[in-house]
């Protein structure tokens, strides 16, 4: 009978369980007296207590209900903001029409179709006083001018290689240009930005105008960037203004043997049955700036792009935006390099501010080493 009571969970089992519970409590007491364990637990509690979502979970149901109402208001704000950017696009279109006559005159000066008047070509440097020549130097300049007049026929037309020089000056563009692209880009006469018509989906078109050349027959190559200015239904709070969502290029009508976007390779093939070998030629893609007009398409069927494709597409969008916002409006300053210096100075200023902030933070850490940095 005694053996049966032990095997059936009788008094002996109860005694053993009590012993185990007592040992567990003693072990717990010992662990909780360890300062390192207590510090680790406190840190975890601090992390939990300072997480916004965990704080929200502690709020009463009535308060959570009001927060949901605020979120609905925020979505409505996002839709109003989208309308604001649509009107900004309309305003851009209006002012683009005002800029265009100036850009047309810019093209005439670049191509040499029109010569600027003395008044139009007068420009006073900020360092004009430093640039003044002494009397003897002035005489030398006069002599040089007379000599130059004698060979006036050598004076080039317009501003040679204007747009190609910009490509060469701007890192973002020069990285795309291969050596065999350069002779083609020297025929580039103008780049224009055209905005979508009123009532049409938001977009802009980059037009690259070329003079007649030995490479392709198109007078104009185009790249269309499609934009969206509406909150995402799945994530409306991520809306930060219009974004480029896709782009379309154009077909380049290359002249025979002039397509730089492909290269011809020779490959040997062995016949499986007869064992004979033949050489075949095939065309494969080639790196070139002109691949810019055959862009990767954004996935529209719900399938996600791979990481490399996403990077390529993002880079394409960035280049299109840079042409529209910087290169076309300020072309002469990218030709002279002044805009590039301004961009570099701005970036250096931002880096300096970041370094200064990092230094301040390090100083705070040293001075307040005992203060909880998470607070």
């Amino acid at each position: 009978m005694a053996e049966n009571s032990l095997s059936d969970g009788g008094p002996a089992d109860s005694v053993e369980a009590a012993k185990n519970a007592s040992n567990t409590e003693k072990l717990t007491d010992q662990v909780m007296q360890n300062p390192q364990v207590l510090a680790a637990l406190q840190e975890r509690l601090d992390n939990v207590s300072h997480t916004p979502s965990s704080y929200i979970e502690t709020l009463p149901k009535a308060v959570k209900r009001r927060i949901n109402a605020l979120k609905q208001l925020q979505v409505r704000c996002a839709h109003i903001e989208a309308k604001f950017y649509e009107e900004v696009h309309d305003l851009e279109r209006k002012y683009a029409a005002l800029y265009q006559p100036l850009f047309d005159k810019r093209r005439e000066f670049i191509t040499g179709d029109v010569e600027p008047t003395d008044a139009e070509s007068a420009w006073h440097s900020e360092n004009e006083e430093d640039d003044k020549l002494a009397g003897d130097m002035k005489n030398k300049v006069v002599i040089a001018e007379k000599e130059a007049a004698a060979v006036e026929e050598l004076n080039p037309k317009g501003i040679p290689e204007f747009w190609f020089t910009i490509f060469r000056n701007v890192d973002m563009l020069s990285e795309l240009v291969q050596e065999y692209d350069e002779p083609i880009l020297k025929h580039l006469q103008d780049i224009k930005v055209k905005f979508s018509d009123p009532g049409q989906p938001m977009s802009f078109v980059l037009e690259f105008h070329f003079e007649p050349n030995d490479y392709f027959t198109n007078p104009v190559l185009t790249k269309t960037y499609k934009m969206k200015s509406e909150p995402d239904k799945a994530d409306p709070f991520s809306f930060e203004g219009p974004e480029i969502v896709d782009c379309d290029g154009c077909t380049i009508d290359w002249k025979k043997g002039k397509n730089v976007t492909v290269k011809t390779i020779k490959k040997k093939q062995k016949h499986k049955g007869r064992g004979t070998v033949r050489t075949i030629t095939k065309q494969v893609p080639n790196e070139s700036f002109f691949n810019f007009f055959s862009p990767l398409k954004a996935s529209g069927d719900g399938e996600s792009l791979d990481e490399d494709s996403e990077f390529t597409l993002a880079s394409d969008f960035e280049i299109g935006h840079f042409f529209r916002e910087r290169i076309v409006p300020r072309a002469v300053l990218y030709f002279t390099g002044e805009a590039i210096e301004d961009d570099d100075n701005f970036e250096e200023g931002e880096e300096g501010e970041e370094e200064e902030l990092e230094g301040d933070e390090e100083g705070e850490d040293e001075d307040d080493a005992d203060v909880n940095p998470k607070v």
Side-chain angles (χ1 to χ4, degrees):
M1 291 291 295
E3 290 178 359
N4 289 338
S5 65
L6 285 172
S7 61
D8 294 336
D13 287 341
S14 300
V15 171
E16 187 66 26
K19 271 185 188 180
N20 289 336
S22 176
N23 290 336
T24 301
E25 289 177 4
K26 287 179 182 179
L27 182 60
T28 302
D29 289 341
Q30 290 175 358
V31 170
M32 294 304 293
Q33 289 174 11
N34 187 324
Q36 292 180 341
V37 173
L38 288 174
L41 287 172
Q42 184 62 47
E43 183 176 357
R44 292 191 64 181
L45 288 172
D46 288 341
N47 286 337
V48 171
S49 62
H50 291 97
T51 301
S53 58
S54 63
Y55 166 69
I56 298 300
E57 290 301 319
T58 65
L59 296 175
K61 185 176 180 180
V63 176
K64 291 179 183 178
R65 182 172 174 273
R66 293 165 197 144
I67 292 173
N68 290 337
L70 294 184
K71 287 185 176 181
Q72 284 209 35
L73 294 177
Q74 192 64 45
V75 171
R76 292 170 64 182
C77 286
H79 283 281
I80 292 173
E81 186 179 5
K83 292 294 182 183
F84 164 77
Y85 283 114
E86 288 178 8
E87 292 196 21
V88 168
H89 189 71
D90 291 337
L91 201 59
E92 284 182 312
R93 184 188 303 110
K94 172 186 173 182
Y95 277 87
L98 300 179
Y99 286 127
Q100 195 54 53
L102 302 179
F103 293 158
D104 290 341
K105 179 159 283 197
R106 177 177 73 184
R107 174 177 178 167
E108 291 174 342
F109 291 161
I110 291 170
T111 58
D113 292 340
V114 173
E115 191 66 28
T117 64
D118 290 343
E120 289 172 328
S121 59
W123 183 259
H124 302 289
S125 169
E126 293 179 359
N127 301 320
E128 189 173 4
E129 293 298 323
D130 297 335
D131 296 337
K132 286 185 178 179
L133 301 173
D136 58 332
M137 290 298 293
K138 286 185 180 180
N139 293 333
K140 292 181 181 179
V141 170
V142 171
I143 294 171
E145 288 177 348
K146 288 181 179 179
E147 292 175 350
V151 289
E152 183 66 27
E153 64 275 8
L154 298 179
N155 184 28
K157 185 180 179 181
I159 305 176
E161 302 179 4
F162 179 84
W163 291 100
F164 170 65
T165 301
I166 293 174
F167 272 75
R168 193 168 51 192
N169 287 348
V170 178
D171 290 342
M172 184 186 295
L173 303 181
S174 65
E175 291 172 356
L176 303 176
V177 178
Q178 308 299 319
E179 186 175 350
Y180 39 81
D181 293 327
E182 295 181 3
I184 310 176
L185 289 171
K186 290 178 181 179
H187 293 285
L188 180 59
Q189 292 186 312
D190 198 13
I191 304 177
K192 295 182 179 180
V193 179
K194 296 290 182 67
F195 292 92
S196 54
D197 294 329
Q200 296 299 312
M202 188 181 294
S203 67
F204 67 92
V205 181
L206 297 177
E207 294 183 350
F208 293 75
H209 294 251
F210 287 84
E211 65 184 351
N213 59 78
D214 296 331
Y215 298 91
F216 47 74
T217 59
N218 313 59
V220 182
L221 302 181
T222 61
K223 181 78 169 282
T224 302
Y225 286 90
K226 301 175 183 179
M227 304 175 70
K228 183 182 76 171
S229 182
E230 60 184 35
D232 190 324
K233 293 180 180 178
D235 185 16
F237 303 131
S238 65
F239 181 72
E240 294 182 351
E243 59 178 332
I244 298 173
V245 294
D246 204 357
C247 54
D248 291 326
C250 68
T251 300
I252 302 178
D253 299 320
W254 295 99
K255 295 181 180 180
K256 187 176 180 179
K258 297 294 186 177
N259 187 350
V260 295
T261 65
V262 295
K263 60 183 177 182
T264 302
I265 62 171
K266 292 183 178 181
K267 189 176 181 181
K268 291 184 177 180
Q269 282 187 340
K270 186 175 181 180
H271 193 280
K272 290 182 179 179
R274 295 192 296 269
T276 56
V277 177
R278 65 173 182 173
T279 301
I280 63 169
T281 59
K282 61 184 295 188
Q283 287 189 331
V284 296
N286 194 29
E287 290 188 6
S288 168
F289 164 74
F290 291 91
N291 291 323
F292 180 73
F293 300 97
S294 301
L296 182 71
K297 294 294 293 178
S299 178
D301 53 8
E303 295 183 6
S304 58
L305 298 172
D306 59 60
E307 189 174 343
D308 289 343
S309 297
E310 286 185 355
F311 177 78
T312 300
L313 202 60
S315 298
D316 192 320
F317 292 171
E318 184 180 2
I319 292 168
H321 181 77
F322 194 71
F323 269 117
R324 166 189 160 175
E325 294 293 325
R326 306 287 291 174
I327 296 293
V328 173
R330 309 181 70 202
V332 66
L333 301 181
Y334 282 96
F335 175 81
T336 62
E338 293 166 82
I340 298 169
E341 291 175 4
D342 289 343
D343 291 345
D344 290 343
N345 290 336
F346 180 75
E347 290 173 3
E348 287 174 6
E350 283 186 330
E351 289 174 3
E353 289 175 6
E354 289 175 2
E355 289 173 1
E356 186 177 345
L357 287 172
E358 288 173 2
D360 290 344
E361 289 172 359
E362 288 174 2
E364 288 175 5
D365 290 344
E366 291 175 1
D367 295 339
D368 305 323
D370 297 332
V371 177
N372 186 347
K374 299 181 178 63
V375 176

